Amino acid sequence: SVVAETSGITGLNEIISEQRGPNQVIVLLSIDWDNHITAGQVEEHVSEIERKIRKRFKEVSRVFIEAQSNKRHKEFELISESA
């Protein structure tokens, strides 16, 4: 996968996609980044991931990427489920 091919990632927490029209798909990713890479490296990787997704899937119009540890992601999932 595009995410698995990217260095500096320790895990993929979640993928959400939403089709808004015939050629309008929005992709949302929650990614756990390696704590030892710089913010600049994360920015480069985000651009690379977005470019690869949009090249591979022409119907994708927007890609949003959240940086969140797996631990925090699970905590927020538990909060959402209990609400």
Side-chain angles (χ1 to χ4, degrees), residues 47-77:
S47 295
E48 176 186 341
I49 291 168
E50 181 175 1
R51 183 185 55 76
K52 287 181 177 180
I53 288 173
R54 293 177 76 177
K55 182 177 180 182
R56 196 174 294 176
F57 304 99
K58 301 296 184 198
E59 65 275 13
V60 173
S61 56
R62 297 293 305 266
V63 178
F64 296 95
I65 299 177
E66 169 185 65
Q68 187 176 51
S69 72
N70 183 263
K71 178 182 175 185
R72 295 287 184 222
H73 182 77
K74 287 180 179 179
E75 288 173 1
F76 284 117
E77 281 185 329

Side-chain angles (χ1 to χ4, degrees):
S1 79
V2 171
V3 174
E5 298 167 358
T6 306
S7 64
I9 293 176
T10 60
L12 175 62
N13 299 318
E14 186 172 21
I15 301 173
I16 299 171
S17 62
E18 178 181 323
Q19 181 141 11
R20 303 195 70 155
N23 290 311
Q24 287 188 315
V25 175
I26 297 173
V27 176
L28 301 99
L29 304 171
S30 175
I31 295 176
D32 188 354
W33 297 92
D34 182 332
N35 293 332
H36 298 96
I37 66 173
T38 67
Q41 289 171 311
V42 170
E43 290 172 347
E44 289 177 26
H45 292 316
V46 165
S47 295
E48 176 186 341
I49 291 168
E50 181 175 1
R51 183 185 55 76
K52 287 181 177 180
I53 288 173
R54 293 177 76 177
K55 182 177 180 182
R56 196 174 294 176
F57 304 99
K58 301 296 184 198
E59 65 275 13
V60 173
S61 56
R62 297 293 305 266
V63 178
F64 296 95
I65 299 177
E66 169 185 65
Q68 187 176 51
S69 72
N70 183 263
K71 178 182 175 185
R72 295 287 184 222
H73 182 77
K74 287 180 179 179
E75 288 173 1
F76 284 117
E77 281 185 329
L78 291 174
I79 292 168
S80 295
E81 290 173 3
S82 64

